[in-house]
Amino acid sequence: MKQVPILVLDFGSQYTQLIARKLRESGVYCEVVPYREDIANIKARKPQGIILSGGPASVYAEDAYHPSEEIWDLGLPILGICYGMQLITQHFGGSVVAADHHEYGKAKLNITQNNSHIFDDMTNDEIVWMSHGDRVEALPEGFEVIGTSENSPYAAISHDEKKIYAFQFHPEVHHTVEGTKLLKNFAKHVCGCSSTWNMGSFAKEKINAIKEQVGEKKVLCGVSGGVDSSVVAAMLNEALPKEQLICVFVDQGLLRKDEASQVQVMFKMLDIPLITIDAKAEFMEALAGVTDPEIKRKAIGEKFIEVFDKEAKKHTDVAFLAQGTLYTDVIESVSVKGPSKTIKSHHNVGGLPDWMSFELVEPLREIFKDEVRKLGLELGLPKDMIGRHPFPGPGLAIRTMGAVTEDGLHLIRESDAIMQEELKATGYYDKVWQAFTVLLNVQSVGVMGDNRTYDNTVCIRMVESVDGMTATFAHVPHDVLEGMSRRIINEIDGINRVVYDISSKPPATIEWE
Protein backbone atom coordinates (compact mmCIF):
# COMPACT_ATOMS: atom_id res chain seq x y z
CA MET A 1 0.00 0.00 0.00
CA LYS A 2 1.49 3.34 -1.09
CA GLN A 3 2.03 6.29 1.24
CA VAL A 4 -0.81 8.82 1.41
CA PRO A 5 0.31 12.18 2.85
CA ILE A 6 -3.20 13.25 3.95
CA LEU A 7 -5.98 10.80 4.78
CA VAL A 8 -9.58 12.06 4.87
CA LEU A 9 -12.04 10.11 7.02
CA ASP A 10 -15.50 10.40 5.50
CA PHE A 11 -18.40 10.91 7.93
CA GLY A 12 -21.02 11.30 5.22
CA SER A 13 -20.79 14.85 3.92
CA GLN A 14 -21.72 15.21 0.24
CA TYR A 15 -18.66 17.46 -0.03
CA THR A 16 -16.02 15.18 1.49
CA GLN A 17 -14.28 14.55 -1.82
CA LEU A 18 -13.95 18.31 -2.32
CA ILE A 19 -11.47 18.30 0.59
CA ALA A 20 -9.29 15.88 -1.35
CA ARG A 21 -9.75 17.84 -4.56
CA LYS A 22 -8.65 21.14 -2.98
CA LEU A 23 -5.56 19.49 -1.54
CA ARG A 24 -4.71 17.88 -4.88
CA GLU A 25 -4.98 21.33 -6.47
CA SER A 26 -2.30 22.38 -3.97
CA GLY A 27 -0.08 19.50 -5.07
CA VAL A 28 -0.68 17.34 -1.98
CA TYR A 29 -1.94 13.84 -2.68
CA CYS A 30 -4.65 12.48 -0.40
CA GLU A 31 -7.27 9.76 -0.28
CA VAL A 32 -10.77 9.49 1.18
CA VAL A 33 -11.58 6.42 3.30
CA PRO A 34 -14.67 5.48 5.36
CA TYR A 35 -14.81 6.86 8.90
CA ARG A 36 -14.75 3.25 10.12
CA GLU A 37 -11.48 2.41 8.32
CA ASP A 38 -9.43 -0.19 10.19
CA ILE A 39 -6.53 1.35 12.09
CA ALA A 40 -4.11 -1.13 10.45
CA ASN A 41 -5.06 0.19 7.00
CA ILE A 42 -4.63 3.76 8.20
CA LYS A 43 -1.16 3.02 9.56
CA ALA A 44 -0.20 1.17 6.37
CA ARG A 45 -0.72 4.36 4.34
CA LYS A 46 1.73 6.22 6.62
CA PRO A 47 -0.19 9.52 6.57
CA GLN A 48 1.38 12.75 7.75
CA GLY A 49 -2.00 14.12 8.80
CA ILE A 50 -5.68 13.17 9.14
CA ILE A 51 -8.80 15.19 8.29
CA LEU A 52 -12.19 14.35 9.81
CA SER A 53 -14.95 15.40 7.40
CA GLY A 54 -18.37 16.88 8.04
CA GLY A 55 -21.46 14.72 8.17
CA PRO A 56 -25.23 14.69 8.72
CA ALA A 57 -25.29 13.03 12.16
CA SER A 58 -25.16 14.33 15.73
CA VAL A 59 -22.26 13.14 17.88
CA TYR A 60 -24.72 12.30 20.66
CA ALA A 61 -27.16 10.31 18.52
CA GLU A 62 -27.42 6.56 19.16
CA ASP A 63 -26.18 5.86 15.65
CA ALA A 64 -23.47 8.55 15.66
CA TYR A 65 -20.43 7.81 13.51
CA HIS A 66 -17.16 7.32 15.41
CA PRO A 67 -13.72 6.48 14.03
CA SER A 68 -11.35 3.96 15.57
CA GLU A 69 -10.34 5.23 19.00
CA GLU A 70 -6.74 4.51 18.09
CA ILE A 71 -6.54 7.41 15.63
CA TRP A 72 -6.22 9.75 18.60
CA ASP A 73 -3.08 7.91 19.72
CA LEU A 74 -1.20 8.08 16.41
CA GLY A 75 0.41 11.40 17.32
CA LEU A 76 -0.53 12.85 13.91
CA PRO A 77 -1.88 16.33 13.21
CA ILE A 78 -5.69 16.21 12.94
CA LEU A 79 -8.10 18.69 11.37
CA GLY A 80 -11.81 18.36 12.15
CA ILE A 81 -14.43 20.01 9.93
CA CYS A 82 -17.94 20.63 11.30
CA TYR A 83 -18.95 17.13 12.50
CA GLY A 84 -15.22 16.41 12.78
CA MET A 85 -14.89 19.41 15.10
CA GLN A 86 -17.71 18.11 17.28
CA LEU A 87 -16.06 14.67 17.46
CA ILE A 88 -12.80 16.26 18.61
CA THR A 89 -14.62 18.32 21.23
CA GLN A 90 -16.53 15.30 22.53
CA HIS A 91 -13.50 12.98 22.60
CA PHE A 92 -11.35 15.38 24.62
CA GLY A 93 -14.07 16.18 27.18
CA GLY A 94 -15.68 19.34 25.84
CA SER A 95 -19.40 19.95 25.37
CA VAL A 96 -21.48 19.81 22.19
CA VAL A 97 -25.14 20.81 22.16
CA ALA A 98 -27.94 21.11 19.64
CA ALA A 99 -28.11 24.70 18.41
CA ASP A 100 -31.25 26.79 18.90
CA HIS A 101 -31.33 27.10 15.14
CA HIS A 102 -29.30 25.64 12.30
CA GLU A 103 -26.71 27.95 10.78
CA TYR A 104 -26.35 27.91 7.01
CA GLY A 105 -24.63 30.36 4.73
CA LYS A 106 -21.90 32.96 4.68
CA ALA A 107 -20.13 34.27 7.77
CA LYS A 108 -17.08 36.44 8.40
CA LEU A 109 -14.19 34.77 10.21
CA ASN A 110 -12.39 36.82 12.85
CA ILE A 111 -8.92 35.36 13.46
CA THR A 112 -8.03 35.74 17.15
CA GLN A 113 -4.57 34.12 17.06
CA ASN A 114 -2.39 32.02 14.79
CA ASN A 115 0.56 30.46 16.57
CA SER A 116 0.09 27.34 14.47
CA HIS A 117 0.40 28.94 10.97
CA ILE A 118 -2.94 27.45 9.94
CA PHE A 119 -4.16 30.97 9.09
CA ASP A 120 -0.95 32.07 7.34
CA ASP A 121 -1.48 34.62 4.53
CA MET A 122 -5.09 35.19 5.60
CA THR A 123 -6.74 38.37 6.81
CA ASN A 124 -9.62 39.03 9.17
CA ASP A 125 -13.19 39.00 7.92
CA GLU A 126 -12.58 36.32 5.31
CA ILE A 127 -15.86 34.82 4.06
CA VAL A 128 -16.48 31.23 5.24
CA TRP A 129 -19.47 28.92 4.77
CA MET A 130 -21.41 27.57 7.74
CA SER A 131 -23.68 24.52 7.55
CA HIS A 132 -24.39 22.89 10.90
CA GLY A 133 -26.99 22.09 13.54
CA ASP A 134 -25.01 21.07 16.64
CA ARG A 135 -22.43 23.44 18.03
CA VAL A 136 -19.58 23.46 20.56
CA GLU A 137 -20.65 24.91 23.92
CA ALA A 138 -17.49 24.37 26.01
CA LEU A 139 -13.93 23.66 24.90
CA PRO A 140 -11.93 20.65 26.12
CA GLU A 141 -8.98 21.28 28.41
CA GLY A 142 -5.90 22.49 26.53
CA PHE A 143 -7.88 23.83 23.55
CA GLU A 144 -8.27 27.51 22.72
CA VAL A 145 -10.28 29.66 20.36
CA ILE A 146 -8.37 30.80 17.28
CA GLY A 147 -11.32 32.12 15.26
CA THR A 148 -14.82 33.45 15.82
CA SER A 149 -17.79 34.61 13.75
CA GLU A 150 -20.86 36.63 14.60
CA ASN A 151 -22.91 33.53 15.47
CA SER A 152 -20.09 31.10 16.33
CA PRO A 153 -17.86 31.93 19.30
CA TYR A 154 -15.94 28.73 18.51
CA ALA A 155 -15.64 29.01 14.73
CA ALA A 156 -12.07 27.66 14.89
CA ILE A 157 -10.22 26.00 17.78
CA SER A 158 -6.81 24.42 18.29
CA HIS A 159 -4.55 22.46 20.61
CA ASP A 160 -1.17 23.52 19.30
CA GLU A 161 0.84 21.04 21.38
CA LYS A 162 -1.15 18.08 20.00
CA LYS A 163 -1.42 19.73 16.55
CA ILE A 164 -5.18 19.27 16.55
CA TYR A 165 -7.35 21.89 14.83
CA ALA A 166 -11.03 22.21 14.08
CA PHE A 167 -13.32 24.47 12.03
CA GLN A 168 -17.06 24.88 12.49
CA PHE A 169 -17.24 26.05 8.86
CA HIS A 170 -16.48 24.16 5.63
CA PRO A 171 -13.17 25.18 4.01
CA GLU A 172 -13.71 22.73 1.14
CA VAL A 173 -16.73 24.43 -0.45
CA HIS A 174 -16.47 27.13 -3.10
CA HIS A 175 -18.18 29.74 -0.90
CA THR A 176 -15.33 29.72 1.66
CA VAL A 177 -13.18 32.13 -0.30
CA GLU A 178 -9.77 31.12 1.09
CA GLY A 179 -10.71 27.51 1.81
CA THR A 180 -7.98 26.06 -0.40
CA LYS A 181 -5.39 28.14 1.43
CA LEU A 182 -6.63 26.85 4.82
CA LEU A 183 -6.37 23.21 3.75
CA LYS A 184 -2.99 23.88 2.14
CA ASN A 185 -1.72 25.51 5.35
CA PHE A 186 -2.77 22.45 7.35
CA ALA A 187 -1.13 20.03 4.93
CA LYS A 188 2.09 21.96 4.35
CA HIS A 189 2.73 24.08 7.45
CA VAL A 190 1.25 21.80 10.10
CA CYS A 191 1.80 18.32 8.60
CA GLY A 192 4.95 19.09 6.61
CA CYS A 193 3.65 17.71 3.29
CA SER A 194 5.34 18.60 0.01
CA SER A 195 3.74 19.58 -3.32
CA THR A 196 4.60 16.54 -5.39
CA TRP A 197 1.25 15.55 -6.94
CA ASN A 198 -0.11 16.79 -10.27
CA MET A 199 -2.02 15.47 -13.28
CA GLY A 200 1.21 14.34 -14.89
CA SER A 201 2.13 12.22 -11.87
CA PHE A 202 -1.48 10.97 -11.63
CA ALA A 203 -1.39 9.88 -15.28
CA LYS A 204 1.88 7.98 -14.80
CA GLU A 205 0.61 6.38 -11.61
CA LYS A 206 -2.66 5.22 -13.20
CA ILE A 207 -0.99 3.98 -16.39
CA ASN A 208 1.40 1.91 -14.26
CA ALA A 209 -1.54 0.68 -12.18
CA ILE A 210 -3.35 -0.41 -15.37
CA LYS A 211 -0.29 -2.33 -16.53
CA GLU A 212 -0.01 -4.05 -13.16
CA GLN A 213 -3.73 -4.84 -12.93
CA VAL A 214 -4.19 -6.10 -16.48
CA GLY A 215 -0.93 -7.94 -17.07
CA GLU A 216 -1.11 -9.81 -20.37
CA LYS A 217 -4.90 -10.15 -20.45
CA LYS A 218 -7.24 -8.16 -22.70
CA VAL A 219 -9.44 -5.21 -21.76
CA LEU A 220 -12.83 -4.40 -23.21
CA CYS A 221 -13.27 -0.62 -23.04
CA GLY A 222 -16.76 0.79 -23.41
CA VAL A 223 -16.62 4.18 -25.12
CA SER A 224 -19.33 6.73 -25.75
CA GLY A 225 -17.26 9.45 -27.43
CA GLY A 226 -17.60 11.64 -24.34
CA VAL A 227 -14.67 13.10 -22.42
CA ASP A 228 -14.55 10.43 -19.70
CA SER A 229 -14.53 7.29 -21.83
CA SER A 230 -12.19 8.92 -24.38
CA VAL A 231 -9.66 9.72 -21.65
CA VAL A 232 -9.90 6.16 -20.32
CA ALA A 233 -9.34 4.78 -23.83
CA ALA A 234 -6.30 7.06 -24.27
CA MET A 235 -4.85 5.88 -20.93
CA LEU A 236 -5.36 2.24 -21.88
CA ASN A 237 -3.80 2.89 -25.28
CA GLU A 238 -0.74 4.33 -23.50
CA ALA A 239 -0.56 1.47 -21.02
CA LEU A 240 -1.19 -1.56 -23.21
CA PRO A 241 -0.18 -3.00 -26.60
CA LYS A 242 -2.93 -2.56 -29.20
CA GLU A 243 -3.70 -6.29 -29.27
CA GLN A 244 -4.71 -6.14 -25.57
CA LEU A 245 -7.16 -3.25 -25.97
CA ILE A 246 -10.60 -3.77 -27.48
CA CYS A 247 -12.55 -0.48 -27.64
CA VAL A 248 -16.25 -0.99 -28.20
CA PHE A 249 -18.72 1.73 -29.09
CA VAL A 250 -22.34 0.77 -28.60
CA ASP A 251 -24.76 2.87 -30.62
CA GLN A 252 -27.77 2.37 -28.37
CA GLY A 253 -30.02 4.79 -30.25
CA LEU A 254 -29.94 7.30 -27.39
CA LEU A 255 -27.18 9.57 -28.72
CA ARG A 256 -27.26 13.16 -29.89
CA LYS A 257 -27.57 14.07 -33.54
CA ASP A 258 -24.69 12.71 -35.71
CA GLU A 259 -22.83 11.58 -32.59
CA ALA A 260 -22.15 8.02 -33.77
CA SER A 261 -20.23 9.17 -36.84
CA GLN A 262 -18.36 11.81 -34.80
CA VAL A 263 -17.16 9.14 -32.36
CA GLN A 264 -15.84 6.97 -35.17
CA VAL A 265 -13.95 9.87 -36.76
CA MET A 266 -12.46 10.85 -33.40
CA PHE A 267 -11.07 7.39 -32.61
CA LYS A 268 -9.64 7.09 -36.10
CA MET A 269 -7.83 10.37 -35.49
CA LEU A 270 -6.48 9.00 -32.18
CA ASP A 271 -5.30 5.84 -33.98
CA ILE A 272 -7.25 3.65 -31.56
CA PRO A 273 -9.10 0.71 -33.21
CA LEU A 274 -12.84 0.86 -32.55
CA ILE A 275 -15.57 -1.76 -32.87
CA THR A 276 -19.01 -0.22 -33.44
CA ILE A 277 -22.12 -2.19 -32.46
CA ASP A 278 -25.57 -1.14 -33.63
CA ALA A 279 -27.83 -2.08 -30.69
CA LYS A 280 -30.63 0.45 -31.17
CA ALA A 281 -33.38 -2.16 -31.46
CA GLU A 282 -32.25 -4.02 -28.31
CA PHE A 283 -32.18 -0.89 -26.15
CA MET A 284 -35.52 0.41 -27.41
CA GLU A 285 -37.06 -2.98 -26.65
CA ALA A 286 -35.62 -2.89 -23.10
CA LEU A 287 -37.07 0.62 -22.59
CA ALA A 288 -40.50 -0.05 -24.10
CA GLY A 289 -43.16 1.37 -21.78
CA VAL A 290 -40.66 2.20 -19.00
CA THR A 291 -41.38 5.54 -17.31
CA ASP A 292 -39.63 5.34 -13.93
CA PRO A 293 -36.17 7.00 -14.20
CA GLU A 294 -34.44 4.51 -11.88
CA ILE A 295 -35.80 1.57 -13.88
CA LYS A 296 -34.65 3.28 -17.09
CA ARG A 297 -31.12 3.69 -15.78
CA LYS A 298 -30.91 0.11 -14.53
CA ALA A 299 -32.40 -1.33 -17.73
CA ILE A 300 -29.83 0.57 -19.80
CA GLY A 301 -26.99 -0.55 -17.52
CA GLU A 302 -28.06 -4.18 -17.75
CA LYS A 303 -28.38 -4.00 -21.53
CA PHE A 304 -24.91 -2.44 -21.85
CA ILE A 305 -23.46 -5.31 -19.82
CA GLU A 306 -25.24 -7.88 -22.00
CA VAL A 307 -23.97 -6.27 -25.21
CA PHE A 308 -20.40 -6.03 -23.91
CA ASP A 309 -20.47 -9.63 -22.66
CA LYS A 310 -21.68 -10.83 -26.06
CA GLU A 311 -18.83 -8.94 -27.76
CA ALA A 312 -16.27 -10.21 -25.24
CA LYS A 313 -17.12 -13.81 -26.08
CA LYS A 314 -15.89 -13.15 -29.62
CA HIS A 315 -12.37 -12.56 -28.25
CA THR A 316 -9.99 -14.69 -26.20
CA ASP A 317 -8.42 -13.73 -22.85
CA VAL A 318 -10.75 -10.78 -22.14
CA ALA A 319 -10.65 -10.44 -18.35
CA PHE A 320 -11.37 -6.74 -17.78
CA LEU A 321 -14.05 -4.16 -18.52
CA ALA A 322 -12.92 -0.51 -18.51
CA GLN A 323 -15.31 2.34 -17.71
CA GLY A 324 -15.15 6.12 -17.40
CA THR A 325 -16.69 6.22 -13.93
CA LEU A 326 -16.16 9.54 -12.11
CA TYR A 327 -16.41 10.37 -8.43
CA THR A 328 -19.60 12.37 -9.02
CA ASP A 329 -21.20 9.19 -10.40
CA VAL A 330 -20.04 7.22 -7.39
CA ILE A 331 -21.10 9.62 -4.63
CA GLU A 332 -24.60 10.04 -6.11
CA SER A 333 -25.13 6.30 -6.58
CA VAL A 334 -23.59 4.42 -3.71
CA SER A 335 -22.03 5.30 -0.38
CA VAL A 336 -18.58 3.85 -0.95
CA LYS A 337 -16.56 5.97 1.43
CA GLY A 338 -18.93 6.90 4.22
CA PRO A 339 -22.61 7.21 5.10
CA SER A 340 -23.58 9.75 2.41
CA LYS A 341 -27.08 9.55 0.88
CA THR A 342 -27.82 7.91 -2.48
CA ILE A 343 -29.16 10.52 -4.93
CA LYS A 344 -29.70 8.41 -8.05
CA SER A 345 -28.28 5.31 -9.70
CA HIS A 346 -25.65 5.68 -12.39
CA HIS A 347 -25.53 2.85 -14.89
CA ASN A 348 -21.77 2.42 -14.52
CA VAL A 349 -21.63 2.33 -10.70
CA GLY A 350 -22.11 -0.48 -8.24
CA GLY A 351 -20.09 -3.30 -9.76
CA LEU A 352 -20.93 -6.03 -12.24
CA PRO A 353 -23.54 -8.78 -11.95
CA ASP A 354 -22.42 -12.04 -10.35
CA TRP A 355 -22.66 -13.94 -13.63
CA MET A 356 -19.97 -11.82 -15.25
CA SER A 357 -16.33 -12.77 -14.84
CA PHE A 358 -14.89 -9.36 -15.78
CA GLU A 359 -12.87 -7.29 -13.37
CA LEU A 360 -13.44 -3.53 -13.61
CA VAL A 361 -10.78 -1.03 -14.65
CA GLU A 362 -11.86 2.46 -13.54
CA PRO A 363 -8.88 4.83 -13.51
CA LEU A 364 -11.03 7.99 -13.13
CA ARG A 365 -13.14 6.80 -10.22
CA GLU A 366 -11.61 9.19 -7.67
CA ILE A 367 -11.50 12.41 -9.71
CA PHE A 368 -13.87 15.08 -11.00
CA LYS A 369 -14.84 16.20 -14.49
CA ASP A 370 -12.55 19.25 -14.51
CA GLU A 371 -9.64 17.05 -13.43
CA VAL A 372 -10.48 14.57 -16.20
CA ARG A 373 -10.18 17.42 -18.71
CA LYS A 374 -6.75 18.34 -17.35
CA LEU A 375 -5.75 14.70 -17.56
CA GLY A 376 -6.95 14.52 -21.17
CA LEU A 377 -4.78 17.48 -22.12
CA GLU A 378 -1.87 15.85 -20.30
CA LEU A 379 -2.41 12.77 -22.49
CA GLY A 380 -2.43 14.90 -25.65
CA LEU A 381 -6.12 14.73 -26.55
CA PRO A 382 -7.44 17.60 -28.73
CA LYS A 383 -8.89 20.63 -26.92
CA ASP A 384 -12.19 20.54 -28.80
CA MET A 385 -12.77 16.98 -27.60
CA ILE A 386 -11.79 17.79 -24.01
CA GLY A 387 -14.08 20.83 -24.01
CA ARG A 388 -17.21 18.89 -24.95
CA HIS A 389 -20.10 19.21 -22.55
CA PRO A 390 -20.80 16.19 -20.32
CA PHE A 391 -23.23 13.63 -21.69
CA PRO A 392 -24.84 10.97 -19.47
CA GLY A 393 -24.28 7.26 -20.06
CA PRO A 394 -28.04 6.56 -20.31
CA GLY A 395 -28.14 9.23 -23.03
CA LEU A 396 -31.36 10.84 -24.17
CA ALA A 397 -33.46 8.28 -22.26
CA ILE A 398 -33.09 10.36 -19.11
CA ARG A 399 -33.79 13.57 -21.00
CA THR A 400 -37.21 12.19 -21.94
CA MET A 401 -39.82 12.48 -19.22
CA GLY A 402 -41.85 9.29 -19.27
CA ALA A 403 -41.67 6.58 -21.91
CA VAL A 404 -38.91 6.69 -24.53
CA THR A 405 -40.13 6.67 -28.13
CA GLU A 406 -38.51 7.22 -31.51
CA ASP A 407 -40.68 10.30 -32.08
CA GLY A 408 -39.64 11.76 -28.74
CA LEU A 409 -35.96 11.07 -29.36
CA HIS A 410 -36.26 12.87 -32.71
CA LEU A 411 -37.63 15.98 -30.98
CA ILE A 412 -34.82 16.00 -28.41
CA ARG A 413 -32.08 15.42 -30.99
CA GLU A 414 -33.25 18.18 -33.31
CA SER A 415 -33.92 20.71 -30.53
CA ASP A 416 -30.60 19.94 -28.85
CA ALA A 417 -28.73 20.33 -32.16
CA ILE A 418 -30.29 23.76 -32.74
CA MET A 419 -29.51 24.86 -29.20
CA GLN A 420 -25.87 23.74 -29.54
CA GLU A 421 -25.54 25.58 -32.87
CA GLU A 422 -26.84 28.79 -31.29
CA LEU A 423 -24.58 28.41 -28.28
CA LYS A 424 -21.50 28.09 -30.48
CA ALA A 425 -22.60 30.87 -32.85
CA THR A 426 -23.06 33.31 -29.95
CA GLY A 427 -19.84 32.31 -28.17
CA TYR A 428 -21.59 30.82 -25.14
CA TYR A 429 -20.70 27.15 -25.62
CA ASP A 430 -17.45 27.48 -23.65
CA LYS A 431 -19.05 29.82 -21.10
CA VAL A 432 -21.45 27.21 -19.72
CA TRP A 433 -20.50 23.87 -18.17
CA GLN A 434 -23.35 21.84 -19.66
CA ALA A 435 -26.31 22.55 -21.91
CA PHE A 436 -29.03 20.32 -23.30
CA THR A 437 -32.76 20.06 -24.01
CA VAL A 438 -35.34 17.95 -22.21
CA LEU A 439 -38.58 16.61 -23.68
CA LEU A 440 -41.23 17.12 -21.01
CA ASN A 441 -43.88 15.02 -22.73
CA VAL A 442 -46.33 17.76 -21.82
CA GLN A 443 -48.58 19.17 -24.51
CA SER A 444 -49.92 22.69 -24.50
CA VAL A 445 -52.09 24.88 -26.71
CA GLY A 446 -50.41 27.16 -29.20
CA VAL A 447 -51.24 29.32 -32.21
CA MET A 448 -49.21 28.87 -35.40
CA GLY A 449 -50.29 30.34 -38.73
CA ASP A 450 -53.69 31.30 -37.27
CA ASN A 451 -54.28 27.64 -36.44
CA ARG A 452 -54.60 26.03 -33.03
CA THR A 453 -51.83 23.59 -32.12
CA TYR A 454 -51.55 21.14 -29.26
CA ASP A 455 -47.89 20.15 -29.28
CA ASN A 456 -44.89 19.33 -27.11
CA THR A 457 -42.92 21.48 -24.69
CA VAL A 458 -39.13 21.38 -24.67
CA CYS A 459 -37.04 22.66 -21.75
CA ILE A 460 -33.57 24.14 -22.20
CA ARG A 461 -31.19 23.34 -19.33
CA MET A 462 -27.87 25.21 -19.02
CA VAL A 463 -25.69 25.22 -15.91
CA GLU A 464 -22.44 26.66 -14.64
CA SER A 465 -20.31 24.33 -12.52
CA VAL A 466 -16.76 23.25 -11.78
CA ASP A 467 -17.08 19.60 -10.85
CA GLY A 468 -20.77 18.70 -11.18
CA MET A 469 -21.25 18.31 -7.43
CA THR A 470 -22.95 21.71 -7.28
CA ALA A 471 -24.26 23.88 -10.12
CA THR A 472 -26.16 27.10 -10.78
CA PHE A 473 -28.32 27.80 -13.79
CA ALA A 474 -26.48 29.78 -16.45
CA HIS A 475 -27.37 33.46 -16.77
CA VAL A 476 -27.49 33.45 -20.55
CA PRO A 477 -28.77 36.67 -22.19
CA HIS A 478 -32.45 36.68 -23.13
CA ASP A 479 -31.73 37.37 -26.78
CA VAL A 480 -29.63 34.18 -27.00
CA LEU A 481 -32.45 32.16 -25.42
CA GLU A 482 -34.97 33.87 -27.67
CA GLY A 483 -32.98 32.85 -30.75
CA MET A 484 -32.93 29.24 -29.60
CA SER A 485 -36.64 29.21 -28.85
CA ARG A 486 -37.59 30.80 -32.16
CA ARG A 487 -35.54 28.35 -34.21
CA ILE A 488 -36.70 25.27 -32.27
CA ILE A 489 -40.39 26.15 -32.65
CA ASN A 490 -40.09 27.25 -36.28
CA GLU A 491 -37.90 24.41 -37.52
CA ILE A 492 -39.23 21.37 -35.65
CA ASP A 493 -42.73 20.05 -36.22
CA GLY A 494 -44.32 18.93 -32.98
CA ILE A 495 -42.90 21.61 -30.63
CA ASN A 496 -44.80 24.81 -29.88
CA ARG A 497 -43.34 25.88 -26.53
CA VAL A 498 -39.80 26.27 -25.10
CA VAL A 499 -39.08 26.92 -21.41
CA TYR A 500 -35.81 27.59 -19.51
CA ASP A 501 -34.83 25.76 -16.32
CA ILE A 502 -33.66 28.18 -13.59
CA SER A 503 -33.06 25.55 -10.89
CA SER A 504 -29.68 25.06 -9.23
CA LYS A 505 -28.04 21.94 -7.77
CA PRO A 506 -28.93 21.44 -5.00
CA PRO A 507 -31.91 21.24 -4.63
CA ALA A 508 -32.33 20.02 -8.23
CA THR A 509 -29.88 17.73 -10.04
CA ILE A 510 -28.35 18.74 -13.36
CA GLU A 511 -30.02 16.02 -15.41
CA TRP A 512 -33.79 15.78 -15.00
CA GLU A 513 -33.78 12.04 -14.32
Side-chain angles (χ1 to χ4, degrees), residues 1 7 34 42 47 70 88 97 105 151 204 223 247 285-286 303 312 363 374 428 433 442 459 492 506:
M1 194 173 286
L7 207 57
I42 292 175
E70 294 176 76
I88 289 170
V97 298
N151 294 316
K204 290 176 184 175
V223 301
C247 287
E285 183 181 353
K303 186 56 66 176
K374 291 176 185 175
Y428 275 87
W433 194 74
V442 171
C459 175
I492 305 173

Side-chain angles (χ1 to χ4, degrees), residues 90-156:
Q90 180 193 54
H91 176 80
F92 288 99
S95 175
V96 177
V97 298
D100 297 332
H101 62 278
H102 291 193
E103 185 181 9
Y104 299 108
K106 293 180 181 179
K108 289 184 178 180
L109 179 68
N110 174 42
I111 299 170
T112 56
Q113 67 98 333
N114 186 28
N115 296 331
S116 62
H117 301 295
I118 202 156
F119 291 136
D120 278 5
D121 298 322
M122 291 188 62
T123 58
N124 268 336
D125 293 335
E126 294 282 6
I127 297 297
V128 297
W129 190 260
M130 297 285 185
S131 179
H132 63 95
D134 293 356
R135 62 176 174 81
V136 174
E137 185 178 55
L139 293 184
E141 184 178 349
F143 282 77
E144 61 182 328
V145 178
I146 58 174
T148 65
S149 70
E150 184 177 358
N151 294 316
S152 295
Y154 303 115

Side-chain angles (χ1 to χ4, degrees), residues 310-341:
K310 185 177 178 181
E311 179 63 31
K313 288 174 179 175
K314 299 177 182 177
H315 307 270
T316 58
D317 295 328
V318 176
F320 299 91
L321 176 65
Q323 296 185 152
T325 309
L326 302 189
Y327 186 76
T328 41
D329 301 333
V330 174
I331 197 65
E332 288 188 338
S333 297
V334 288
S335 182
V336 291
K337 298 297 186 186
S340 56
K341 302 296 183 184

Side-chain angles (χ1 to χ4, degrees), residues 8 54-55 126 138 146 166 207 227 248 254 264 289 336 354 383 420 437 443 497 506:
V8 182
E126 294 282 6
I146 58 174
I207 287 170
V227 176
V248 178
L254 304 171
Q264 292 167 333
V336 291
D354 295 337
K383 285 186 178 180
Q420 301 285 349
T437 59
Q443 285 75 44
R497 192 178 299 270

Side-chain angles (χ1 to χ4, degrees), residues 407-421:
D407 289 343
L409 291 173
H410 169 75
L411 295 178
I412 303 177
R413 280 198 191 94
E414 295 302 321
S415 61
D416 185 81
I418 289 172
M419 184 210 57
Q420 301 285 349
E421 287 175 11

Side-chain angles (χ1 to χ4, degrees), residues 45-344:
R45 291 177 169 89
K46 300 179 181 177
Q48 293 171 250
I50 291 175
I51 296 178
L52 310 179
S53 83
S58 166
V59 290
Y60 290 120
E62 286 187 16
D63 58 350
Y65 311 130
H66 289 278
S68 167
E69 284 294 312
E70 294 176 76
I71 70 159
W72 310 108
D73 302 323
L74 294 175
L76 294 172
I78 295 176
L79 171 63
I81 296 172
C82 200
Y83 183 81
M85 176 183 190
Q86 293 150 22
L87 276 175
I88 289 170
T89 301
Q90 180 193 54
H91 176 80
F92 288 99
S95 175
V96 177
V97 298
D100 297 332
H101 62 278
H102 291 193
E103 185 181 9
Y104 299 108
K106 293 180 181 179
K108 289 184 178 180
L109 179 68
N110 174 42
I111 299 170
T112 56
Q113 67 98 333
N114 186 28
N115 296 331
S116 62
H117 301 295
I118 202 156
F119 291 136
D120 278 5
D121 298 322
M122 291 188 62
T123 58
N124 268 336
D125 293 335
E126 294 282 6
I127 297 297
V128 297
W129 190 260
M130 297 285 185
S131 179
H132 63 95
D134 293 356
R135 62 176 174 81
V136 174
E137 185 178 55
L139 293 184
E141 184 178 349
F143 282 77
E144 61 182 328
V145 178
I146 58 174
T148 65
S149 70
E150 184 177 358
N151 294 316
S152 295
Y154 303 115
I157 63 174
S158 74
H159 191 306
D160 286 340
E161 184 180 341
K162 293 181 180 293
K163 292 190 175 181
I164 296 178
Y165 308 89
F167 301 147
Q168 184 61 76
F169 55 89
H170 288 265
E172 72 272 27
V173 301
H174 175 71
H175 303 290
T176 296
V177 177
E178 295 290 356
T180 301
K181 187 178 292 183
L182 284 169
L183 293 170
K184 181 179 178 181
N185 284 343
F186 173 71
K188 294 189 175 181
H189 297 165
V190 178
C191 302
C193 299
S194 302
S195 294
T196 57
W197 190 87
N198 54 46
M199 270 302 151
S201 63
F202 178 81
K204 290 176 184 175
E205 173 192 323
K206 288 300 179 182
I207 287 170
N208 288 333
I210 290 168
K211 290 178 180 178
E212 185 176 338
Q213 181 185 6
V214 173
E216 296 181 357
K217 298 291 185 179
K218 292 178 182 176
V219 181
L220 195 69
C221 179
V223 301
S224 66
V227 176
D228 309 330
S229 61
S230 298
V231 169
V232 170
M235 291 184 79
L236 290 165
N237 194 48
E238 284 273 335
L240 305 171
K242 276 190 166 50
E243 60 268 19
Q244 284 183 248
L245 175 59
I246 304 166
C247 287
V248 178
F249 168 55
V250 177
D251 184 354
Q252 83 293 50
L254 304 171
L255 300 172
R256 291 170 288 196
K257 187 175 182 179
D258 299 328
E259 195 154 28
S261 59
Q262 291 169 4
V263 170
Q264 292 167 333
V265 169
M266 179 173 64
F267 272 75
K268 187 174 182 181
M269 178 189 65
L270 293 173
D271 193 28
I272 301 176
L274 181 67
I275 297 170
T276 299
I277 299 173
D278 185 342
K280 300 185 189 75
E282 294 176 59
F283 278 84
M284 290 304 290
E285 183 181 353
L287 290 169
V290 177
T291 58
D292 183 275
E294 280 292 285
I295 297 176
K296 280 185 193 176
R297 285 176 173 270
K298 288 173 181 175
I300 291 167
E302 289 168 5
K303 186 56 66 176
F304 264 119
I305 294 295
E306 288 178 21
V307 172
F308 283 130
D309 184 58
K310 185 177 178 181
E311 179 63 31
K313 288 174 179 175
K314 299 177 182 177
H315 307 270
T316 58
D317 295 328
V318 176
F320 299 91
L321 176 65
Q323 296 185 152
T325 309
L326 302 189
Y327 186 76
T328 41
D329 301 333
V330 174
I331 197 65
E332 288 188 338
S333 297
V334 288
S335 182
V336 291
K337 298 297 186 186
S340 56
K341 302 296 183 184
T342 297
I343 307 301
K344 59 187 176 183

